[in-house]
Structures are given as structure tokens and as C-alpha cells.
Amino acid sequence: MSSSIQLPPIESVFNLNDFEKIAAKVLPEQVYAYYSSSADDEVSYRENHNSFHKIFFKPKILVDVTNIDLTTEILDSQVDIPFYVSATALCGLGNPKGGELDIVKGCADVNVPHMISTFSSFSIEEIAEAKINENQIQWLQLYVNSDRKITHDLIVKAERLGMKALFVTVDAPSAGNRERDARFKFSAAENNGPKVMEKSKDKDATTNGTSRTLSKLIDTSLTWADIETFKKLTNMPIVLKGVQRVDDAIRAAEIGCRGVVLSNHGGRELDFSRPPLEVLAELMPVLRDRGLNKNFDVLIDGGIRRGTDILKALCLGAKGVGIAAPFLYANSLYGSEGVELCTQLLIKELVLSMRLLGVTKLSDLNADFLDLSGLFARAITIPRTTVYHDSLA
Ligand SMILES: Cc1cc2nc3c(=O)[nH]c(=O)nc-3n(C[C@H](O)[C@H](O)[C@H](O)COP(=O)(O)O)c2cc1C
């Protein structure tokens, strides 16, 4: 799976969107199709990002903004930045040699927390060993297997390897209908399926699309009762990833989860699921009202590409934000150097935007800095034809 188009020098990347633009040209077609595909007509995918464009700032003036502090705390870990690398399966498709290991390397300098996918190309032992600093923050993202022993063993192993939190993905009982991806056959045996698959009965599966193969390893019968079981198995804080409703977030807090990620899986699951930013705006006042916002971190992901996107989420009450696709493209194109650049670009944008907003530290951010009047407006722009995907154009 190779592409004949030459990789431009890393200096040609000015922002996170540039990584995807280059990836679309340079990555093998099948890899880009899996990485970029989202559900059905990709409306949620687009709205995730568009939702950030519906919020405007109300900057304060005449504040001394010489020193900007980006430090905060996420899930009891001190961090120098309010974002993390969210889980992405099969980083080895785009970066066969380095895969997830290059993400670990690229996260070392700033200690960007890294959420490791259950469906990583490398084993979690290899990923844990790749740490450059002992204090690097790693979390495990969990897809629950129908053979619960496999899942329980993985949880115990992750804790032993020093992972600091367990993110149980709850928005993906089956892979969404991702048609860009489905147009390519995926053979787990030929294409380096995920490491966890080696012992699976589906290890030689060939399906229409990478997502379908991975979906075979996810149990459709996961319920709240399983979360109770996981709590008994581990001391790692448990976070539900993929919460999309206020009442589910409240329930997670009430049963003792340490947090939630408001997410629709980057628009890859149920099309027309709401942008997580809207859910965040609804949720935080309710959590505060009920006194449930202490020891309960609300994180958010989906469509976050700019420092200003991050600031908007933090103003609304998020503790931190997850970013997936841009780091995946950066790693696929430029390895750990790309991951470092992705981080540095976000830091640069955050520092500048905080100065221009008139704040010096993250704890100063609040909804008073935002004009939210357009947030809930619906204006879905869908092409008039039934042809939605570039691959059909
Ligand atoms: C190629 C790809 C693979 C993904 N794999 C996983 C995964 O293995 N587990 C998971 O919980 N989420 C997975 N996600 C979802 C991300 O963790 C995250 O929720 C979402 O992509 C965030 O949106 P963003 O890509 O716009 O930043 C994946 C996303 C992409 C793009």
C-alpha cells in the first residue's frame, strides 16, 4: 500500500488542517479511506467542527497578558496543556514502522496524555515500553470483547503497565456505516490487523472495509452492569467515552465514574448524532446544579482543530479536549516529529488566542467570554446530489 506522491517538507504545515490535506494526497488510498471515513452522509462529522464556528468570543481588554499559563489537571494528573491524543485504531497502517510507538515518542517532550486504542497495531506492552519519560501519561481505551475474559485480562494488564485511566468506549456497539472505507476490502491477515486480534477466531477475516473487521471484536451487549464489574476489577479511574446525552452523563457521575468524554466518535458512528459541543453546553449547568461537577471531569472530542476550539470548550466547562485524526495524520506523514509539531502548533495557537482573549490562565476561562446565541441553530448544508463522498466524484 504505497503512494507515488512525494511528502512535502514538514515546514509546509502551518496548522492541523494541513496534515489532513497532505494525508489525502500522500497516504495510500485505502489507508486514507479508513482514517477519514465517517458515517452515512458524514453530517455529524462536519457538524462537529462547524459547531465550534457557531460560538464567538467576547474578549476582555487591558489585561497584562505577558505570561500565559497552560497548565491544568486532567483525571488527577498535572498536565502542561489542556488536550490529549485520543484513541485511534491501527496507527500502523499509516506509519508501518513506528505506529503507536512514534506517537508515544512525539508526546514525550510536553507529556501530552495518550489514549491507547484497544485496536492498536502494536501491543500495549510495546506501547508502554516506548515511553521516554517514566511519568508520561498513558490511558487505555477499552473496546469490550464478547469474551469477557479477554477484556478483564486487558484491564488488569493495563493497570500493571502503569496506565492512569480506563476509557470505556460506549458509543460504538457496532462500527458505523462508513462507505469510503467499505469500498476497499480489508484483510486482517494481509494488512496487519490489530495486535489483540492475533488470538481471535477472526484473525483471517476479510471484509468490506477495515471498520467491519474491527467491529467483529466489539460486543453489542455491553451495559451499565459491565461498568460496575470493571470498577471492581481495577483501581484505575473509569471514564465513559462517547456519552451523548445529559442524563447518561449524570448517571455516569452518580455511579462513580471519574468522568465522561462527550463524543460521537468523530462522526464515525450514528450520523445525525449531535455535536458534543452542544451537549457540553447543556450538561455543565445541570452538573453544577446537582453538585456533581467535583471529582468528575467532563472531556470532549470531535472536530477540534484550533486553539480557539479548545478555548471555547474550556470556557463551557470541559477539563480538557481530545484530538484524534490530526495526530493520526501527523504521525502517518512525519512520525514522532509530526506529533510534536501538532502539539506545538496547538500550544502556539492557544497562547496567542488567550492573549487576544485577555486571559492568562485556564482557570480564568468561563462562559462569560462566549457569545452562544448561535450555538443551537441548525443549518445543515448537504450537497443536493446523492453523491456525498469524494471517492464517487
Ligand atoms: C481512524 C480513527 C480511528 C479511531 N479509533 C478509535 C478507537 O480505536 N477507539 C475509540 O474509542 N475511538 C476511536 N476513534 C475516535 C476518536 O478517539 C475520537 O473520539 C474522534 O475521532 C475525535 O474526533 P477528531 O478525530 O475529530 O479529533 C477513532 C477515530 C479515527 C479518526
Side-chain angles (χ1 to χ4, degrees):
M1 289 199 287
S2 68
S3 161
S4 54
I5 299 172
Q6 251 202 326
L7 181 66
I10 196 162
E11 290 72 29
S12 56
V13 176
F14 278 77
N15 59 53
L16 268 57
N17 294 316
D18 286 345
F19 286 117
E20 173 154 12
K21 278 188 218 146
I22 299 171
K25 293 197 188 114
V26 171
L27 286 186
E29 231 186 332
Q30 178 167 10
V31 175
Y32 181 66
Y34 169 61
Y35 284 176
S36 66
S37 68
S38 41
D40 289 356
D41 302 322
E42 309 190 331
V43 176
S44 287
Y45 168 80
R46 287 192 294 276
E47 284 302 297
N48 281 353
H49 185 60
N50 289 346
S51 64
F52 286 93
H53 295 181
K54 294 180 186 169
I55 297 182
F56 284 75
F57 287 118
K58 300 192 232 166
K60 281 201 200 311
I61 55 166
L62 298 175
V63 179
D64 177 352
V65 290
T66 314
N67 298 313
I68 302 290
D69 178 4
L70 296 181
T71 58
T72 186
E73 208 179 85
I74 303 179
L75 300 172
D76 304 320
S77 292
Q78 285 296 327
V79 280
D80 287 338
I81 31 82
F83 58 87
Y84 59 88
V85 179
S86 191
T88 49
L90 296 180
C91 297
L93 292 180
N95 175 353
K97 270 202 192 133
E100 291 80 12
L101 309 185
D102 275 358
I103 296 191
V104 179
K105 277 190 218 146
C107 285
D109 210 24
V110 179
N111 199 359
V112 183
H114 175 203
M115 189 196 298
I116 299 161
S117 168
T118 295
F119 295 157
S120 293
S121 302
F122 285 81
S123 71
I124 63 163
E125 285 90 341
E126 289 167 308
I127 300 171
E129 269 168 32
K131 278 193 287 189
I132 292 178
N133 308 319
E134 208 24 62
N135 62 348
Q136 256 184 274
I137 303 165
Q138 294 186 323
W139 301 323
L140 178 71
Q141 174 273 324
L142 189 72
Y143 277 128
V144 178
N145 199 288
S146 51
D147 178 347
R148 286 294 191 277
K149 178 155 176 10
I150 293 178
T151 295
H152 295 178
D153 289 350
L154 183 61
I155 295 174
V156 171
K157 194 197 295 178
E159 186 163 5
R160 181 166 45 77
L161 291 169
M163 313 263 152
K164 297 272 179 288
L166 182 69
F167 285 70
V168 185
T169 296
V170 292
D171 59 4
S174 283
N177 176 39
R178 305 173 193 166
E179 292 170 9
R180 288 176 194 252
D181 177 38
R183 291 175 204 282
F184 294 88
K185 288 248 180 285
F186 179 83
S187 150
E190 280 169 30
N191 296 129
N192 264 337
K195 234 350 194 302
V196 286
M197 210 159 170
E198 276 173 359
K199 290 188 193 122
S200 144
K201 62 178 172 14
D202 294 309
K203 66 181 184 321
D204 296 322
T206 298
T207 51
N208 286 338
T210 308
S211 313
R212 284 274 146 252
T213 303
L214 300 182
S215 195
K216 287 172 180 289
L217 300 170
I218 305 176
D219 190 3
T220 46
S221 75
L222 183 73
T223 67
W224 290 95
D226 292 291
I227 309 298
E228 294 294 347
T229 311
F230 302 154
K231 271 169 50 201
K232 288 182 199 128
L233 270 177
T234 180
N235 290 317
M236 287 184 288
I238 293 182
V239 179
L240 302 188
K241 175 177 183 288
V243 172
Q244 308 188 55
R245 301 170 52 97
V246 170
D247 56 359
D248 278 342
I250 300 284
R251 184 163 177 187
E254 283 173 347
I255 67 164
C257 289
R258 183 63 186 79
V260 286
V261 185
L262 303 178
S263 169
N264 58 18
H265 217 103
R268 292 162 75 85
E269 288 298 308
L270 178 66
D271 205 12
F272 291 97
S273 55
R274 299 167 73 204
L277 194 65
E278 289 181 22
V279 184
L280 177 69
E282 274 178 12
L283 172 64
M284 292 314 297
V286 183
L287 272 182
R288 286 183 192 121
D289 247 26
R290 300 193 186 192
L292 289 170
N293 56 327
K294 312 268 179 321
N295 286 322
F296 187 74
D297 287 1
V298 178
L299 307 168
I300 176 172
D301 75 28
I304 294 163
R305 302 291 180 265
R306 289 281 187 187
T308 49
D309 298 340
I310 300 177
L311 292 184
K312 289 171 187 177
L314 299 188
C315 282
L316 283 175
K319 266 293 203 161
V321 308
I323 297 173
F327 277 107
L328 182 62
Y329 294 129
N331 181 52
S332 302
L333 298 168
Y334 302 104
S336 57
E337 215 188 321
V339 174
E340 276 170 22
L341 177 62
C342 199
T343 301
Q344 289 307 332
L345 288 169
L346 287 169
I347 291 176
K348 198 171 87 181
E349 291 185 12
L350 274 170
V351 168
L352 176 60
S353 305
M354 282 173 68
R355 278 211 176 103
L356 299 178
L357 190 59
V359 287
T360 57
K361 52 185 193 305
L362 300 180
S363 54
D364 286 345
L365 297 169
N366 60 60
D368 187 45
F369 284 99
L370 304 179
D371 168 3
L372 294 168
S373 54
L375 177 59
F376 294 95
R378 290 257 181 264
I380 309 284
T381 49
I382 305 180
R384 274 185 59 226
T385 65
T386 51
V387 179
Y388 298 110
H389 308 134
D390 296 345
S391 53
L392 280 182

